[in-house]
Amino acid sequence: MKLRDLCARAQSRPLQETELEEFNEQVGGLDATLGARYTAIENGCVEMELDISDRVTQPFGIVHGGVYSALAESAASVGGLVAAAGARGVAGISNSTQFVSSVSHGTIVARAKAVHCGRTLQLWEVTCSSGDRVLTTSSVRLIVLSTRMD
């Protein structure tokens, strides 16, 4: 099943474990390069994880700030695709990430929640955390593209 079809399915119910595995197998680009994986996808909420390794840290050994912004953009964009039922694409037009704390090992969990999903614009709030510690908060604004994703 294509990513678009999985996103359409997630609009009516959360993706099941086997569907999440299928989704993650098809994810490429920066998500694949970073080693990020989606752990929950449903209408209005997306969760993903990233195990921290040397490839995502800056010279001082803590996670590079751009990684958090990338996770926020990815989680919000998948949420935006679900909100559009996989029929239309989305593109980020604003990503504001606030840094709260740093981390050098463990797993980062990014949770995106819809604030507003209109026909043209969407707003998502994304929190990256490690354990009980909040690392960043992001606001991601998406534009819903006017053409189908084919």
Side-chain angles (χ1 to χ4, degrees):
M1 184 175 297
K2 293 182 179 181
L3 288 176
R4 175 184 60 196
D5 298 326
L6 289 166
C7 287
R9 182 172 287 175
Q11 190 178 52
S12 60
R13 65 163 175 78
L15 292 186
Q16 299 171 353
E17 190 65 32
T18 56
E19 294 166 325
L20 286 168
E21 289 173 14
E22 187 175 352
F23 191 93
N24 283 312
E25 287 172 5
Q26 295 183 53
V27 169
L30 186 57
D31 289 347
T33 300
L34 293 174
R37 63 196 171 278
Y38 291 86
T39 56
I41 300 173
E42 62 184 274
N43 197 9
C45 187
V46 172
E47 186 174 294
M48 62 190 306
E49 293 182 349
L50 174 67
D51 293 327
I52 299 168
S53 68
D54 290 343
R55 81 175 167 271
V56 299
T57 59
Q58 42 99 312
F60 300 106
I62 60 174
V63 174
H64 189 285
V67 171
Y68 299 110
S69 295
L71 291 173
E73 183 93 14
S74 291
S77 293
V78 168
L81 290 172
V82 170
R88 293 171 45 194
V90 297
I93 57 173
S94 174
N95 181 335
S96 175
T97 298
Q98 305 298 317
F99 301 96
V100 178
S101 186
S102 62
V103 68
S104 60
H105 62 278
T107 302
I108 299 169
V109 176
R111 289 182 186 91
K113 294 191 177 193
V115 174
H116 172 76
C117 290
R119 289 180 299 160
T120 306
L121 295 174
Q122 298 181 6
L123 179 62
W124 291 79
E125 293 295 326
V126 185
T127 301
C128 289
S129 60
S130 182
D132 292 334
R133 201 162 95 200
V134 173
L135 304 171
T136 63
T137 60
S138 302
S139 293
V140 179
R141 184 166 296 280
L142 304 173
I143 188 165
V144 180
L145 303 175
S146 60
T147 58
R148 280 189 58 86
M149 281 183 19
D150 287 326

